[in-house]
Amino acid sequence: MTADPVDVGLLDAFAAGDATAFPTLVERHGDLVFSVCLRILGDRDLALDATQETFLTLFRRAGSFRRESKLSTWLYRVAVNASVDIDRRRRRHLTAVLPEGHDPPDPAAADELAAVELRPALEEALAAIPVELRAAVVLVDALDLGLAEAADILGVPVGTVKSRVFRARRHLARLLGDPPGNRGGPRRRPMEER
Amino acid sequence: MTGHAHDLDLVAGLAGGLLDPAEEEEALRLVTSCDVCRHEYGVQQRIREGLAALPPPALTETERETIVSAARRRRSLRPGPILAAAAAVVVVAVGITAALDGDGSEAAPVVDLGDVTAVELAAELDRLVAEEAGGEETTAFLEERAEPEAAGASAEPDTESAGGAEEEAPPPEPPCEAPPGSTVTVLAVVDGRELVAFVSPDGAVLLDAGTCAPVSPP
């Protein structure tokens, strides 16, 4: 996995003082970095903060980027760290995260997850699962990255990524009212596993 | 149900093609022969498809420009002369270094963050409080932030450490009186508002730098 030659050229130009190189790097990678941050944080303003921190880190550390790895992987790693950090801080400062007695969604919803009108429910559920699981499932399922790249980004073994992805999907299914592997059994109260 | 624990992970891997060929064959056998496994596969597949179908968010042109200008501003517009900015950064990078008063007595160090977002200020205060309390709160992300200047591994055209300037710059003056027990003073500008924070192992007190009145934490 080596860096894209275009990215290498832009980094070299940036190091040489080319003022157009950095905006071009933001143009090339900004949306995907923002996508990672927004899926993890579920809040556009916070995601913008995390995206800004990510590119500020690139701005300061472009010279130390190792060319044998993909720039996008390096950016995702910084973006995930920034987002997880912001998420933890936000949760520490929140006094009331969810109202008591949050109503479970319609159980039939899980059968129609791809429907556009259910996206907010899925996004809400995504925001409610533990951030380590959220980061893994965002990288693998929402961004369609391979397990190896996700493991590299998260700094954990591939097996751990797999486990987190499976657990994340089960959490999400439960929150959407469809307990995995338990059809017909007692239904857990959604949103209980924060 | 518990006997299916391992098998369910195998089945879960079918969704998204996360299995090698041998595992996939076994998982398919389970899905076709076991109701619980089949249900598990359906759940995993639906969640995966739902996540993959989420519309990819995109930055607006204005947001993209903000990101670019913020990076440049953080580099070039730290408050005070650039030499003072370099000093502040070095203080953050290498840990808190006490300044010396005119009489040579040790004073609480001052960290000048310059223009930051509320989130960035909160992060830095969290980190400093944890550090003063002797904990290891710093995350990988914050280490990323603190490391480069110390390592000198920067490729930016306007290198901050040139000329050994950090030794020449006087520490910024805190605009408000520090409460007893504070060990670090932080100066920052958030949304154009100048703030001062006094950090102790017990927490941080945030004041408006103009009025010295307490303000809510960001």
Side-chain angles (χ1 to χ4, degrees), chain B residues 79 110-116 121 125 171-176 185-189 194-198 209:
Chain B
V110 178
V111 178
D112 196 340
L113 297 177
D115 270 335
V116 291
L121 175 59
L125 293 180
E173 287 294 325
C176 307
T185 302
V186 177
L187 305 177
V189 180
E194 294 184 14
L195 302 173
V196 56
F198 295 104

Side-chain angles (χ1 to χ4, degrees), chain A residues 3-4 10 39 41 62 72 86 107 117 132 136 141 176 178 187:
Chain A
D4 184 313
L10 287 167
R39 292 289 173 240
L41 288 163
S72 59
I86 288 173
E117 61 268 27
E132 293 81 5
D141 283 351
L176 291 165
D178 191 5
R187 191 180 299 283

Side-chain angles (χ1 to χ4, degrees), chain A residues 19 39 53 59-61 169, chain B residues 44 55 72 120 144 156:
Chain A
R39 292 289 173 240
E53 280 299 331
F59 196 92
R60 294 191 304 199
R61 304 197 62 185
R169 291 175 183 163
Chain B
Q44 294 272 339
R72 288 176 171 154
E120 290 167 344
E144 286 263 8
E156 300 84 348

Side-chain angles (χ1 to χ4, degrees), chain B residues 16-93:
Chain B
L18 304 180
L19 303 177
D20 63 37
E23 289 175 324
E24 190 170 313
E25 189 177 338
E26 172 63 8
L28 285 170
R29 189 188 65 74
L30 288 169
V31 167
T32 54
S33 64
C34 157
D35 287 345
V36 173
C37 296
R38 188 160 44 248
H39 176 67
E40 169 74 6
Y41 172 69
V43 163
Q44 294 272 339
Q45 186 69 4
R46 282 193 295 275
I47 295 292
R48 175 183 149 66
E49 288 172 354
L51 287 168
L54 290 174
L59 293 164
T60 65
E61 193 55 40
T62 304
E63 289 167 342
R64 197 172 285 117
E65 286 168 5
T66 300
I67 288 168
V68 172
S69 61
R72 288 176 171 154
R73 193 172 63 245
R74 282 286 294 273
R75 170 63 54 195
S76 60
L77 289 185
R78 292 176 188 275
I82 189 67
L83 303 186
V89 170
V90 169
V91 166
V92 174

Side-chain angles (χ1 to χ4, degrees), chain A:
Chain A
M1 202 186 325
T2 57
D4 184 313
V6 176
D7 287 332
V8 171
L10 287 167
L11 289 167
D12 288 342
F14 175 61
D18 181 346
T20 66
F22 185 72
T24 307
L25 285 164
V26 174
E27 179 79 31
R28 280 173 61 79
H29 297 284
D31 284 349
L32 283 174
V33 166
F34 179 60
S35 188
V36 170
C37 298
L38 185 61
R39 292 289 173 240
I40 292 177
L41 288 163
D43 177 290
R44 193 172 184 93
D45 287 340
L46 292 178
L48 281 172
D49 280 342
T51 304
Q52 190 168 304
E53 280 299 331
T54 302
F55 282 103
L56 179 60
T57 302
L58 174 66
F59 196 92
R60 294 191 304 199
R61 304 197 62 185
S64 62
F65 168 68
R66 290 181 298 124
R67 309 301 169 94
E68 61 266 27
S69 59
K70 286 167 66 179
L71 179 62
S72 59
T73 301
W74 187 90
L75 286 170
Y76 288 155
R77 188 180 307 131
V78 178
V80 168
N81 281 338
S83 301
V84 168
D85 205 55
I86 288 173
D87 185 75
R88 286 181 176 150
R89 235 174 10 251
R90 171 180 60 175
R91 287 176 191 280
R92 208 159 49 223
H93 290 137
L94 282 179
T95 51
V97 177
L98 278 175
E100 287 295 322
H102 190 280
D103 291 334
D106 178 357
D111 292 329
E112 303 171 36
L113 278 175
V116 171
E117 61 268 27
L118 291 176
R119 284 173 186 160
L122 181 56
E123 289 177 340
E124 183 188 351
L126 194 58
I129 68 175
V131 69
E132 293 81 5
L133 306 187
R134 199 184 320 148
V137 82
V138 161
L139 293 176
V140 173
D141 283 351
L143 274 76
D144 201 25
L145 299 184
L147 285 175
E149 186 170 9
D152 190 13
I153 291 166
L154 297 172
V156 297
V158 165
T160 303
V161 177
K162 264 192 194 180
S163 167
R164 288 182 183 178
V165 169
F166 300 160
R167 285 163 55 205
R169 291 175 183 163
R170 289 176 189 133
H171 270 263
L172 292 170
R174 196 172 297 124
L175 292 169
L176 291 165
D178 191 5
N182 196 27
R183 176 76 78 186
R187 191 180 299 283
R188 291 192 188 186
R189 181 170 165 265
M191 311 300 279
E192 69 183 351
E193 297 193 30
R194 291 190 55 90

